[in-house]
Amino acid sequence: MAPQDAVQGWDEDANAEAYEAFTRAHPMYEATSRDLAGRAQLSYADLVVDLCGGAGATARAILDLVPDRARVVSVDNAAAMQRAGRRTLTDARLTWVTAPAEHLAEHVPASGVDAVVCNSAIWKTDTAAVFAAVSRVLRPGGRFAFNIGGGFAGVRHPDEEAVRTGPSLNALIRHAAARIYGRISLSTAGESPFKLPLETVTEQLAATGLAVVDTEVIAQHSTMAEKKAWLSIPVFALPEGDLTHAQRMRILDAAYARTTPDSPTVTSWLVVVAQRPEATE
């Protein structure tokens, strides 16, 4: 099952607008979207699904790679996110569908999709149900490319330790929270009890007839400044608990003041590419 709180806040305009603005101002989601879209082999695609597409960062990457004739369907269950995306992403090839990822098969033709791409969101779904839906809609030979944050997958790229020169911003936030408000939250972004290791993913995919054809642990290089901007989005703000957003921003500012804005940070991702087997005679 998906985490109970996985989608809380995503259908609120404040979160959606802040998230969409972040995707345009910072390269993190553009880079991960382009990575996945490239692995999905879209050069000859006619129909591609952007699953859990949010405000359209991944749809942009897909639209850059598919032929002019192709159609892209962006599926997300948060109408606020799609409203934010529609204001800046207008392309006649793109259709927005407001629906849970688990209901994908109700909105696109069975065995008619060339590829499904899901960036930074598969952990928020009931993965067994989503994988089954993806299997139903993919054509034989169609690809499913998605990624899982290193904290959820239980993986870490070597670069993550190699570039570290001091405490992480998350650790500094916990210390600032204790200093300012007398509390420490052990719940931080990317450190979730809802683990999704490759073994579980592979088993769930196989149960639906999808085979893993490629995996890789990649490093997304960023800066403290970009990390701070990401943590300023209300839905990501730390620490969790009964604090207002203004209080969380006070904590974030105090923590960030102990860093160097351009100091490097690294986020690890497990990238998975699965495929529906080719039809046999």
Side-chain angles (χ1 to χ4, degrees), residues 123-141:
W123 72 270
K124 295 188 292 183
T125 71
D126 179 345
T127 51
V130 168
F131 294 166
V134 170
S135 182
R136 286 195 293 273
V137 304
L138 278 179
R139 63 163 176 78

Side-chain angles (χ1 to χ4, degrees), residues 41-250:
Q41 298 183 348
L42 305 179
S43 299
Y44 300 100
D46 291 312
L47 179 59
V48 180
V49 171
D50 172 20
L51 194 61
C52 303
T58 303
R60 286 187 179 90
I62 294 170
L63 288 164
D64 285 345
L65 293 179
V66 295
D68 290 341
R69 68 174 187 278
R71 294 188 300 120
V72 178
V73 178
S74 186
V75 178
D76 197 279
N77 66 344
M81 292 285 282
Q82 293 188 329
R83 286 195 298 271
R86 285 173 186 266
R87 283 193 283 274
T88 59
L89 180 55
T90 57
D91 191 303
R93 297 172 295 169
L94 176 62
T95 300
W96 303 83
V97 173
T98 307
E102 294 83 355
H103 297 177
L104 168 64
E106 301 174 13
H107 300 280
V108 293
S111 302
V113 175
D114 296 292
V116 177
V117 179
C118 183
N119 186 13
S120 311
I122 199 69
W123 72 270
K124 295 188 292 183
T125 71
D126 179 345
T127 51
V130 168
F131 294 166
V134 170
S135 182
R136 286 195 293 273
V137 304
L138 278 179
R139 63 163 176 78
R143 286 199 159 199
F144 178 28
F146 60 96
N147 55 21
I148 307 167
F152 298 110
V155 300
R156 176 170 291 189
H157 193 278
D159 285 2
E160 194 168 341
E161 290 298 331
V163 305
R164 180 167 293 178
T165 57
S168 69
L169 187 53
N170 284 9
L172 293 171
I173 286 170
R174 293 197 293 273
H175 295 154
R179 186 175 72 252
I180 298 171
Y181 294 107
R183 72 182 76 194
I184 297 178
S185 172
L186 297 179
S187 179
T188 61
E191 298 175 0
S192 167
F194 302 101
K195 301 298 184 183
L196 196 58
L198 180 58
E199 180 181 7
T200 298
V201 169
T202 301
E203 290 175 355
Q204 291 184 349
L205 288 167
T208 70
L210 296 174
V212 173
V213 296
D214 188 29
T215 66
E216 184 180 359
V217 177
I218 66 169
Q220 174 63 35
H221 291 259
S222 183
T223 64
M224 281 288 185
E226 184 175 9
K227 178 76 169 180
K228 178 182 185 288
W230 186 77
L231 288 171
S232 298
I233 301 170
V235 75
F236 296 136
L238 299 173
E240 296 179 357
D242 57 348
L243 295 171
T244 66
H245 185 62
Q247 289 173 321
R248 292 188 178 95
M249 292 303 96
R250 181 187 176 194

Side-chain angles (χ1 to χ4, degrees), residues 2-24:
Q4 293 276 330
D5 63 348
V7 296
Q8 285 185 356
W10 288 109
D11 205 18
E12 297 174 1
D13 287 328
N15 279 317
E17 295 293 343
Y19 179 88
E20 196 277 333
F22 176 89
T23 65
R24 286 185 287 108

